[in-house]
Structures are given as structure tokens and as C-alpha cells.
Short mmCIF file of all heavy atoms in Angstrom, two decimals:
data_model
loop_
_atom_site.label_atom_id
_atom_site.label_comp_id
_atom_site.label_asym_id
_atom_site.label_seq_id
_atom_site.Cartn_x
_atom_site.Cartn_y
_atom_site.Cartn_z
N GLU A 1 -56.22 59.72 -126.55
CA GLU A 1 -57.51 59.46 -127.16
C GLU A 1 -57.78 60.46 -128.30
O GLU A 1 -58.24 60.06 -129.36
CB GLU A 1 -58.60 59.55 -126.09
CG GLU A 1 -59.93 59.04 -126.54
CD GLU A 1 -60.94 59.05 -125.40
OE1 GLU A 1 -60.62 58.53 -124.32
OE2 GLU A 1 -62.02 59.60 -125.61
N ILE A 2 -57.47 61.73 -128.05
CA ILE A 2 -57.66 62.75 -129.10
C ILE A 2 -56.77 62.44 -130.30
O ILE A 2 -57.22 62.49 -131.44
CB ILE A 2 -57.36 64.16 -128.56
CG1 ILE A 2 -58.41 64.55 -127.52
CG2 ILE A 2 -57.32 65.18 -129.68
CD1 ILE A 2 -58.08 65.82 -126.76
N ALA A 3 -55.53 62.11 -130.04
CA ALA A 3 -54.59 61.83 -131.13
C ALA A 3 -55.02 60.58 -131.91
O ALA A 3 -54.90 60.53 -133.13
CB ALA A 3 -53.19 61.64 -130.59
N ALA A 4 -55.53 59.60 -131.21
CA ALA A 4 -55.94 58.36 -131.87
C ALA A 4 -57.09 58.58 -132.85
O ALA A 4 -57.16 57.93 -133.89
CB ALA A 4 -56.34 57.32 -130.83
N LYS A 5 -57.97 59.51 -132.55
CA LYS A 5 -59.09 59.81 -133.45
C LYS A 5 -58.61 60.49 -134.71
O LYS A 5 -59.25 60.39 -135.76
CB LYS A 5 -60.12 60.69 -132.74
CG LYS A 5 -60.90 59.98 -131.67
CD LYS A 5 -61.92 60.90 -131.06
CE LYS A 5 -62.68 60.22 -129.96
NZ LYS A 5 -63.68 61.10 -129.35
N GLY A 6 -57.51 61.24 -134.64
CA GLY A 6 -56.97 61.90 -135.80
C GLY A 6 -57.82 63.04 -136.33
O GLY A 6 -57.74 63.40 -137.49
N GLU A 7 -58.64 63.62 -135.47
CA GLU A 7 -59.56 64.67 -135.91
C GLU A 7 -59.00 66.07 -135.75
O GLU A 7 -59.62 67.02 -136.20
CB GLU A 7 -60.88 64.54 -135.16
CG GLU A 7 -61.60 63.25 -135.48
CD GLU A 7 -62.86 63.06 -134.67
OE1 GLU A 7 -63.19 63.93 -133.85
OE2 GLU A 7 -63.51 62.03 -134.85
N MET A 8 -57.87 66.21 -135.09
CA MET A 8 -57.30 67.54 -134.91
C MET A 8 -55.79 67.43 -134.73
O MET A 8 -55.27 66.38 -134.38
CB MET A 8 -57.93 68.26 -133.71
CG MET A 8 -57.66 67.63 -132.37
SD MET A 8 -58.35 68.54 -130.99
CE MET A 8 -60.08 68.33 -131.24
N ALA A 9 -55.13 68.53 -135.00
CA ALA A 9 -53.69 68.58 -134.78
C ALA A 9 -53.44 68.87 -133.31
O ALA A 9 -54.23 69.53 -132.64
CB ALA A 9 -53.07 69.68 -135.63
N MET A 10 -52.32 68.37 -132.82
CA MET A 10 -51.98 68.57 -131.42
C MET A 10 -50.50 68.91 -131.32
O MET A 10 -49.67 68.27 -131.95
CB MET A 10 -52.29 67.29 -130.65
CG MET A 10 -52.11 67.42 -129.18
SD MET A 10 -52.69 65.99 -128.20
CE MET A 10 -52.68 64.62 -129.29
N LEU A 11 -50.20 69.94 -130.55
CA LEU A 11 -48.82 70.34 -130.29
C LEU A 11 -48.53 70.03 -128.83
O LEU A 11 -49.28 70.46 -127.94
CB LEU A 11 -48.64 71.83 -130.55
CG LEU A 11 -47.30 72.43 -130.16
CD1 LEU A 11 -46.19 71.85 -131.01
CD2 LEU A 11 -47.36 73.94 -130.29
N LEU A 12 -47.48 69.29 -128.59
CA LEU A 12 -47.10 68.90 -127.25
C LEU A 12 -45.65 69.28 -127.03
O LEU A 12 -44.79 68.94 -127.84
CB LEU A 12 -47.28 67.39 -127.08
CG LEU A 12 -46.79 66.80 -125.77
CD1 LEU A 12 -47.74 67.21 -124.65
CD2 LEU A 12 -46.72 65.29 -125.88
N ILE A 13 -45.39 69.99 -125.96
CA ILE A 13 -44.03 70.38 -125.63
C ILE A 13 -43.62 69.58 -124.40
O ILE A 13 -44.31 69.61 -123.38
CB ILE A 13 -43.94 71.89 -125.35
CG1 ILE A 13 -44.36 72.64 -126.60
CG2 ILE A 13 -42.53 72.27 -124.91
CD1 ILE A 13 -44.56 74.12 -126.39
N THR A 14 -42.51 68.84 -124.50
CA THR A 14 -42.10 67.98 -123.41
C THR A 14 -40.59 67.76 -123.41
O THR A 14 -39.94 67.90 -124.45
CB THR A 14 -42.82 66.61 -123.48
OG1 THR A 14 -42.47 65.83 -122.34
CG2 THR A 14 -42.45 65.85 -124.74
N HIS A 15 -40.07 67.42 -122.26
CA HIS A 15 -38.70 66.95 -122.15
C HIS A 15 -38.68 65.44 -121.88
O HIS A 15 -37.63 64.87 -121.62
CB HIS A 15 -37.96 67.68 -121.02
CG HIS A 15 -37.53 69.05 -121.40
ND1 HIS A 15 -38.16 70.17 -120.93
CD2 HIS A 15 -36.55 69.48 -122.22
CE1 HIS A 15 -37.57 71.24 -121.43
NE2 HIS A 15 -36.59 70.85 -122.23
N GLU A 16 -39.84 64.82 -121.94
CA GLU A 16 -39.95 63.37 -121.75
C GLU A 16 -39.69 62.70 -123.10
O GLU A 16 -40.60 62.50 -123.90
CB GLU A 16 -41.34 63.00 -121.22
CG GLU A 16 -41.64 63.57 -119.85
CD GLU A 16 -40.77 62.97 -118.76
OE1 GLU A 16 -40.38 61.80 -118.87
OE2 GLU A 16 -40.48 63.69 -117.79
N MET A 17 -38.44 62.39 -123.36
CA MET A 17 -38.04 61.93 -124.68
C MET A 17 -38.64 60.58 -125.06
O MET A 17 -39.05 60.39 -126.21
CB MET A 17 -36.51 61.86 -124.79
CG MET A 17 -35.84 63.21 -124.62
SD MET A 17 -36.31 64.39 -125.91
CE MET A 17 -37.55 65.36 -125.06
N ASP A 18 -38.73 59.65 -124.13
CA ASP A 18 -39.34 58.36 -124.46
C ASP A 18 -40.81 58.53 -124.83
O ASP A 18 -41.30 57.91 -125.78
CB ASP A 18 -39.20 57.38 -123.30
CG ASP A 18 -37.77 56.89 -123.11
OD1 ASP A 18 -37.01 56.90 -124.10
OD2 ASP A 18 -37.42 56.51 -121.99
N PHE A 19 -41.51 59.39 -124.11
CA PHE A 19 -42.91 59.66 -124.41
C PHE A 19 -43.04 60.30 -125.79
O PHE A 19 -43.88 59.88 -126.60
CB PHE A 19 -43.51 60.58 -123.33
CG PHE A 19 -44.91 61.01 -123.61
CD1 PHE A 19 -45.96 60.11 -123.51
CD2 PHE A 19 -45.19 62.31 -123.98
CE1 PHE A 19 -47.27 60.50 -123.76
CE2 PHE A 19 -46.50 62.72 -124.23
CZ PHE A 19 -47.53 61.80 -124.12
N ALA A 20 -42.22 61.29 -126.07
CA ALA A 20 -42.27 61.96 -127.38
C ALA A 20 -42.02 60.97 -128.51
O ALA A 20 -42.70 60.98 -129.52
CB ALA A 20 -41.25 63.10 -127.43
N ARG A 21 -41.05 60.11 -128.32
CA ARG A 21 -40.73 59.11 -129.34
C ARG A 21 -41.92 58.18 -129.58
O ARG A 21 -42.20 57.80 -130.71
CB ARG A 21 -39.52 58.29 -128.90
CG ARG A 21 -39.12 57.23 -129.91
CD ARG A 21 -38.15 56.20 -129.37
NE ARG A 21 -37.22 56.68 -128.40
CZ ARG A 21 -35.90 56.70 -128.55
NH1 ARG A 21 -35.36 56.29 -129.67
NH2 ARG A 21 -35.12 57.13 -127.59
N ASP A 22 -42.62 57.84 -128.53
CA ASP A 22 -43.72 56.88 -128.64
C ASP A 22 -44.98 57.48 -129.25
O ASP A 22 -45.73 56.77 -129.92
CB ASP A 22 -44.06 56.30 -127.26
CG ASP A 22 -42.98 55.38 -126.74
OD1 ASP A 22 -42.13 54.90 -127.53
OD2 ASP A 22 -42.97 55.14 -125.51
N VAL A 23 -45.27 58.76 -129.02
CA VAL A 23 -46.56 59.30 -129.45
C VAL A 23 -46.51 60.26 -130.64
O VAL A 23 -47.53 60.51 -131.26
CB VAL A 23 -47.30 60.01 -128.29
CG1 VAL A 23 -47.50 59.06 -127.13
CG2 VAL A 23 -46.58 61.27 -127.85
N ALA A 24 -45.33 60.77 -130.97
CA ALA A 24 -45.26 61.82 -132.00
C ALA A 24 -45.22 61.26 -133.41
O ALA A 24 -44.64 60.20 -133.66
CB ALA A 24 -44.03 62.69 -131.77
N ASP A 25 -45.82 62.01 -134.33
CA ASP A 25 -45.66 61.75 -135.76
C ASP A 25 -44.47 62.54 -136.29
O ASP A 25 -43.78 62.10 -137.20
CB ASP A 25 -46.91 62.18 -136.54
CG ASP A 25 -48.12 61.35 -136.19
OD1 ASP A 25 -47.98 60.13 -136.01
OD2 ASP A 25 -49.21 61.93 -136.11
N ARG A 26 -44.28 63.74 -135.74
CA ARG A 26 -43.17 64.63 -136.10
C ARG A 26 -42.58 65.19 -134.81
O ARG A 26 -43.30 65.44 -133.86
CB ARG A 26 -43.63 65.82 -136.94
CG ARG A 26 -44.32 65.50 -138.21
CD ARG A 26 -43.48 65.33 -139.43
NE ARG A 26 -42.52 66.38 -139.69
CZ ARG A 26 -41.42 66.17 -140.40
NH1 ARG A 26 -41.16 64.97 -140.86
NH2 ARG A 26 -40.59 67.14 -140.65
N VAL A 27 -41.27 65.38 -134.82
CA VAL A 27 -40.58 65.96 -133.68
C VAL A 27 -39.84 67.20 -134.17
O VAL A 27 -39.20 67.17 -135.22
CB VAL A 27 -39.58 64.97 -133.06
CG1 VAL A 27 -38.79 65.61 -131.93
CG2 VAL A 27 -40.31 63.73 -132.55
N VAL A 28 -39.96 68.28 -133.42
CA VAL A 28 -39.25 69.51 -133.74
C VAL A 28 -38.38 69.85 -132.53
O VAL A 28 -38.89 69.99 -131.42
CB VAL A 28 -40.24 70.67 -134.03
CG1 VAL A 28 -39.49 71.96 -134.29
CG2 VAL A 28 -41.14 70.32 -135.21
N PHE A 29 -37.09 69.97 -132.75
CA PHE A 29 -36.16 70.34 -131.69
C PHE A 29 -35.78 71.80 -131.87
O PHE A 29 -35.34 72.21 -132.94
CB PHE A 29 -34.90 69.47 -131.74
CG PHE A 29 -33.87 69.85 -130.72
CD1 PHE A 29 -34.07 69.57 -129.38
CD2 PHE A 29 -32.71 70.50 -131.10
CE1 PHE A 29 -33.12 69.93 -128.44
CE2 PHE A 29 -31.76 70.87 -130.17
CZ PHE A 29 -31.96 70.58 -128.83
N THR A 30 -35.98 72.58 -130.81
CA THR A 30 -35.67 74.00 -130.88
C THR A 30 -34.58 74.34 -129.86
O THR A 30 -34.40 73.65 -128.86
CB THR A 30 -36.91 74.87 -130.58
OG1 THR A 30 -37.35 74.61 -129.24
CG2 THR A 30 -38.03 74.60 -131.57
N ASP A 31 -33.88 75.41 -130.15
CA ASP A 31 -32.87 75.93 -129.23
C ASP A 31 -32.86 77.44 -129.38
O ASP A 31 -32.72 77.95 -130.50
CB ASP A 31 -31.50 75.34 -129.57
CG ASP A 31 -30.42 75.74 -128.57
OD1 ASP A 31 -30.75 76.00 -127.40
OD2 ASP A 31 -29.24 75.79 -128.96
N GLY A 32 -33.07 78.14 -128.30
CA GLY A 32 -33.10 79.59 -128.35
C GLY A 32 -34.21 80.14 -129.22
O GLY A 32 -34.06 81.20 -129.83
N GLY A 33 -35.33 79.43 -129.28
CA GLY A 33 -36.47 79.89 -130.07
C GLY A 33 -36.37 79.62 -131.55
O GLY A 33 -37.24 80.03 -132.32
N ARG A 34 -35.35 78.90 -131.97
CA ARG A 34 -35.19 78.57 -133.40
C ARG A 34 -35.24 77.05 -133.61
O ARG A 34 -34.76 76.30 -132.77
CB ARG A 34 -33.85 79.09 -133.91
CG ARG A 34 -33.77 80.59 -133.88
CD ARG A 34 -32.44 81.05 -134.46
NE ARG A 34 -32.35 82.49 -134.37
CZ ARG A 34 -32.56 83.30 -135.39
NH1 ARG A 34 -32.86 82.82 -136.57
NH2 ARG A 34 -32.46 84.61 -135.23
N ILE A 35 -35.80 76.65 -134.73
CA ILE A 35 -35.84 75.24 -135.07
C ILE A 35 -34.44 74.80 -135.49
O ILE A 35 -33.85 75.37 -136.41
CB ILE A 35 -36.85 74.96 -136.20
CG1 ILE A 35 -38.26 75.28 -135.70
CG2 ILE A 35 -36.74 73.50 -136.66
CD1 ILE A 35 -39.33 75.17 -136.78
N VAL A 36 -33.93 73.81 -134.78
CA VAL A 36 -32.60 73.27 -135.07
C VAL A 36 -32.72 72.06 -135.98
O VAL A 36 -31.94 71.90 -136.92
CB VAL A 36 -31.86 72.89 -133.76
CG1 VAL A 36 -30.54 72.21 -134.05
CG2 VAL A 36 -31.67 74.11 -132.88
N GLU A 37 -33.70 71.22 -135.69
CA GLU A 37 -33.87 69.99 -136.46
C GLU A 37 -35.33 69.55 -136.34
O GLU A 37 -35.97 69.77 -135.32
CB GLU A 37 -32.98 68.90 -135.86
CG GLU A 37 -32.30 68.05 -136.88
CD GLU A 37 -31.23 67.15 -136.28
OE1 GLU A 37 -30.33 67.64 -135.60
OE2 GLU A 37 -31.33 65.93 -136.54
N GLN A 38 -35.84 68.91 -137.39
CA GLN A 38 -37.19 68.36 -137.33
C GLN A 38 -37.26 67.13 -138.23
O GLN A 38 -36.51 66.99 -139.18
CB GLN A 38 -38.23 69.40 -137.74
CG GLN A 38 -38.08 69.95 -139.14
CD GLN A 38 -39.12 71.01 -139.43
OE1 GLN A 38 -40.29 70.85 -139.10
NE2 GLN A 38 -38.70 72.11 -140.04
N GLY A 39 -38.17 66.25 -137.87
CA GLY A 39 -38.33 65.03 -138.66
C GLY A 39 -39.20 64.03 -137.92
O GLY A 39 -39.84 64.36 -136.93
N THR A 40 -39.19 62.81 -138.40
CA THR A 40 -39.94 61.75 -137.74
C THR A 40 -39.19 61.38 -136.46
O THR A 40 -38.00 61.67 -136.32
CB THR A 40 -40.04 60.51 -138.63
OG1 THR A 40 -38.73 59.97 -138.83
CG2 THR A 40 -40.71 60.82 -139.97
N PRO A 41 -39.87 60.72 -135.52
CA PRO A 41 -39.16 60.27 -134.33
C PRO A 41 -37.96 59.39 -134.67
O PRO A 41 -36.90 59.50 -134.03
CB PRO A 41 -40.23 59.48 -133.55
CG PRO A 41 -41.51 60.09 -133.98
CD PRO A 41 -41.31 60.46 -135.44
N GLU A 42 -38.10 58.56 -135.69
CA GLU A 42 -36.99 57.69 -136.08
C GLU A 42 -35.78 58.51 -136.53
O GLU A 42 -34.64 58.18 -136.21
CB GLU A 42 -37.43 56.74 -137.20
CG GLU A 42 -38.47 55.71 -136.78
CD GLU A 42 -39.90 56.26 -136.72
OE1 GLU A 42 -40.18 57.35 -137.27
OE2 GLU A 42 -40.73 55.60 -136.09
N GLU A 43 -36.02 59.56 -137.30
CA GLU A 43 -34.93 60.42 -137.77
C GLU A 43 -34.28 61.18 -136.63
O GLU A 43 -33.06 61.22 -136.51
CB GLU A 43 -35.45 61.42 -138.81
CG GLU A 43 -35.91 60.78 -140.10
CD GLU A 43 -36.71 61.72 -140.98
OE1 GLU A 43 -37.30 62.70 -140.48
OE2 GLU A 43 -36.75 61.46 -142.19
N ILE A 44 -35.12 61.79 -135.80
CA ILE A 44 -34.62 62.64 -134.73
C ILE A 44 -33.88 61.84 -133.67
O ILE A 44 -32.79 62.21 -133.24
CB ILE A 44 -35.77 63.46 -134.10
CG1 ILE A 44 -36.34 64.44 -135.13
CG2 ILE A 44 -35.32 64.18 -132.83
CD1 ILE A 44 -35.36 65.49 -135.62
N PHE A 45 -34.48 60.75 -133.21
CA PHE A 45 -33.88 59.98 -132.14
C PHE A 45 -32.85 58.97 -132.64
O PHE A 45 -31.92 58.63 -131.91
CB PHE A 45 -34.95 59.27 -131.32
CG PHE A 45 -35.85 60.22 -130.58
CD1 PHE A 45 -37.13 60.48 -131.03
CD2 PHE A 45 -35.40 60.87 -129.44
CE1 PHE A 45 -37.96 61.36 -130.36
CE2 PHE A 45 -36.22 61.76 -128.76
CZ PHE A 45 -37.50 62.01 -129.22
N GLY A 46 -33.01 58.51 -133.86
CA GLY A 46 -32.10 57.50 -134.38
C GLY A 46 -30.87 58.06 -135.06
O GLY A 46 -29.83 57.39 -135.10
N ASN A 47 -30.96 59.28 -135.59
CA ASN A 47 -29.84 59.85 -136.32
C ASN A 47 -29.85 61.37 -136.21
O ASN A 47 -30.01 62.07 -137.21
CB ASN A 47 -29.91 59.41 -137.79
CG ASN A 47 -28.68 59.81 -138.56
OD1 ASN A 47 -27.61 59.93 -138.01
ND2 ASN A 47 -28.85 60.03 -139.85
N PRO A 48 -29.66 61.89 -134.99
CA PRO A 48 -29.63 63.35 -134.84
C PRO A 48 -28.43 63.93 -135.58
O PRO A 48 -27.32 63.40 -135.48
CB PRO A 48 -29.53 63.56 -133.34
CG PRO A 48 -28.97 62.29 -132.81
CD PRO A 48 -29.41 61.21 -133.74
N LYS A 49 -28.66 64.99 -136.34
CA LYS A 49 -27.59 65.54 -137.18
C LYS A 49 -26.83 66.68 -136.51
O LYS A 49 -25.62 66.78 -136.66
CB LYS A 49 -28.18 66.01 -138.50
CG LYS A 49 -28.70 64.86 -139.35
CD LYS A 49 -29.40 65.36 -140.59
CE LYS A 49 -29.93 64.24 -141.44
NZ LYS A 49 -30.76 63.27 -140.78
N SER A 50 -27.50 67.53 -135.77
CA SER A 50 -26.83 68.69 -135.19
C SER A 50 -26.12 68.31 -133.89
O SER A 50 -26.63 67.49 -133.11
CB SER A 50 -27.83 69.81 -134.93
OG SER A 50 -28.68 69.45 -133.86
N PRO A 51 -24.97 68.90 -133.64
CA PRO A 51 -24.27 68.64 -132.38
C PRO A 51 -25.11 69.02 -131.16
O PRO A 51 -25.06 68.35 -130.13
CB PRO A 51 -23.01 69.52 -132.47
CG PRO A 51 -22.80 69.73 -133.93
CD PRO A 51 -24.17 69.73 -134.55
N ARG A 52 -25.92 70.06 -131.28
CA ARG A 52 -26.75 70.50 -130.16
C ARG A 52 -27.79 69.44 -129.81
O ARG A 52 -27.99 69.13 -128.64
CB ARG A 52 -27.43 71.83 -130.50
CG ARG A 52 -28.34 72.35 -129.44
CD ARG A 52 -27.56 72.77 -128.19
NE ARG A 52 -28.48 73.23 -127.17
CZ ARG A 52 -28.90 72.51 -126.13
NH1 ARG A 52 -28.43 71.30 -125.93
NH2 ARG A 52 -29.75 73.00 -125.27
N LEU A 53 -28.45 68.87 -130.81
CA LEU A 53 -29.43 67.81 -130.55
C LEU A 53 -28.74 66.55 -130.05
O LEU A 53 -29.23 65.89 -129.13
CB LEU A 53 -30.25 67.51 -131.80
CG LEU A 53 -31.30 66.40 -131.67
CD1 LEU A 53 -32.25 66.65 -130.50
CD2 LEU A 53 -32.07 66.23 -132.97
N GLN A 54 -27.61 66.21 -130.59
CA GLN A 54 -26.87 65.03 -130.11
C GLN A 54 -26.53 65.17 -128.63
O GLN A 54 -26.70 64.23 -127.85
CB GLN A 54 -25.59 64.85 -130.93
CG GLN A 54 -25.85 64.44 -132.36
CD GLN A 54 -24.61 64.54 -133.23
OE1 GLN A 54 -23.52 64.85 -132.76
NE2 GLN A 54 -24.78 64.28 -134.51
N ALA A 55 -26.06 66.35 -128.23
CA ALA A 55 -25.71 66.58 -126.83
C ALA A 55 -26.95 66.52 -125.95
O ALA A 55 -26.93 65.94 -124.85
CB ALA A 55 -25.02 67.94 -126.68
N PHE A 56 -28.05 67.11 -126.42
CA PHE A 56 -29.29 67.10 -125.65
C PHE A 56 -29.78 65.68 -125.44
O PHE A 56 -30.11 65.28 -124.32
CB PHE A 56 -30.35 67.94 -126.37
CG PHE A 56 -31.67 67.97 -125.67
CD1 PHE A 56 -31.88 68.79 -124.57
CD2 PHE A 56 -32.72 67.17 -126.10
CE1 PHE A 56 -33.10 68.82 -123.91
CE2 PHE A 56 -33.94 67.19 -125.46
CZ PHE A 56 -34.13 68.02 -124.36
N LEU A 57 -29.84 64.89 -126.50
CA LEU A 57 -30.35 63.53 -126.39
C LEU A 57 -29.46 62.64 -125.55
O LEU A 57 -29.95 61.70 -124.91
CB LEU A 57 -30.55 62.92 -127.78
CG LEU A 57 -31.68 63.51 -128.61
CD1 LEU A 57 -31.71 62.89 -130.00
CD2 LEU A 57 -33.02 63.34 -127.91
N SER A 58 -28.17 62.90 -125.52
CA SER A 58 -27.26 62.06 -124.74
C SER A 58 -27.61 62.10 -123.25
O SER A 58 -27.32 61.15 -122.52
CB SER A 58 -25.81 62.48 -124.96
OG SER A 58 -25.55 63.72 -124.33
N ARG A 59 -28.26 63.15 -122.82
CA ARG A 59 -28.67 63.25 -121.41
C ARG A 59 -29.90 62.41 -121.10
O ARG A 59 -30.20 62.16 -119.94
CB ARG A 59 -28.96 64.71 -121.05
CG ARG A 59 -27.77 65.59 -121.22
CD ARG A 59 -28.01 66.99 -120.76
NE ARG A 59 -29.39 67.41 -120.78
CZ ARG A 59 -29.80 68.64 -121.02
NH1 ARG A 59 -28.94 69.58 -121.29
NH2 ARG A 59 -31.08 68.93 -120.99
N PHE A 60 -30.64 61.99 -122.11
CA PHE A 60 -31.89 61.29 -121.90
C PHE A 60 -31.86 59.84 -122.33
O PHE A 60 -32.86 59.15 -122.20
CB PHE A 60 -33.03 62.01 -122.66
CG PHE A 60 -33.30 63.37 -122.12
CD1 PHE A 60 -32.72 64.48 -122.72
CD2 PHE A 60 -34.11 63.55 -121.02
CE1 PHE A 60 -32.96 65.75 -122.23
CE2 PHE A 60 -34.37 64.81 -120.54
CZ PHE A 60 -33.79 65.93 -121.14
N ARG A 61 -30.79 59.38 -122.85
CA ARG A 61 -30.71 58.00 -123.35
C ARG A 61 -30.75 57.03 -122.19
O ARG A 61 -29.77 56.86 -121.50
CB ARG A 61 -29.46 57.77 -124.16
CG ARG A 61 -29.31 58.75 -125.29
CD ARG A 61 -29.49 58.06 -126.58
NE ARG A 61 -29.22 59.04 -127.64
CZ ARG A 61 -29.80 58.99 -128.79
NH1 ARG A 61 -30.63 58.04 -129.06
NH2 ARG A 61 -29.55 59.89 -129.71
N THR A 62 -31.91 56.40 -122.01
CA THR A 62 -32.03 55.44 -120.92
C THR A 62 -32.64 54.14 -121.41
O THR A 62 -32.05 53.09 -121.32
CB THR A 62 -32.89 56.00 -119.77
OG1 THR A 62 -34.16 56.39 -120.28
CG2 THR A 62 -32.21 57.18 -119.12
N ARG A 63 -33.81 54.23 -122.01
CA ARG A 63 -34.56 53.03 -122.39
C ARG A 63 -34.07 52.43 -123.68
O ARG A 63 -34.03 51.22 -123.85
CB ARG A 63 -36.04 53.38 -122.49
CG ARG A 63 -36.91 52.16 -122.59
CD ARG A 63 -38.35 52.51 -122.50
NE ARG A 63 -38.75 53.20 -123.72
CZ ARG A 63 -39.99 53.49 -124.02
NH1 ARG A 63 -40.95 53.20 -123.19
NH2 ARG A 63 -40.28 54.10 -125.14
N ARG A 64 -33.70 53.27 -124.64
CA ARG A 64 -33.32 52.79 -125.97
C ARG A 64 -32.00 53.45 -126.38
O ARG A 64 -31.76 54.59 -126.07
CB ARG A 64 -34.38 53.17 -127.00
CG ARG A 64 -35.72 52.60 -126.68
CD ARG A 64 -36.74 53.11 -127.66
NE ARG A 64 -38.07 52.78 -127.18
CZ ARG A 64 -39.15 53.35 -127.58
NH1 ARG A 64 -39.12 54.29 -128.49
NH2 ARG A 64 -40.32 53.01 -127.10
N PRO A 65 -31.19 52.74 -127.13
CA PRO A 65 -29.93 53.36 -127.60
C PRO A 65 -30.16 54.43 -128.63
O PRO A 65 -31.13 54.51 -129.27
CB PRO A 65 -29.16 52.19 -128.20
CG PRO A 65 -30.13 51.07 -128.39
CD PRO A 65 -31.33 51.37 -127.53
#
């Protein structure tokens, strides 16, 4: 509801990848406290560039390829 109003920024940290893909405008993937990759959900989930993100996402691929 808060996000739908668009009146404030919201930071959400989750390992629920399907949820993140559905609700996020931007996704930031971190490893060891550093940003590894960031972009739109389509970029991050559809074409991960770093081997670390590719490996991470391979563990969560269930609902969508």
C-alpha cells in the first residue's frame, strides 16, 4: 500500500526472489557488503552479468526461468 502511493522511498531486504521481482523498481545485489550488480528486475533476473549473481539466482529459480 505504501509503495503504491509512491509518496516515499522504501528499502526492502529479502531472499524471496519472486517477491522482489514482482514489487521492486530497482534491485541491488550485494556480496560481502559490496554492490555486485544493480538494475531493474528485468535486468537482474533476466540477464545477470556477474558469476556470483548467476550462482545465487540458480538456487531460487522455481516459478520463472
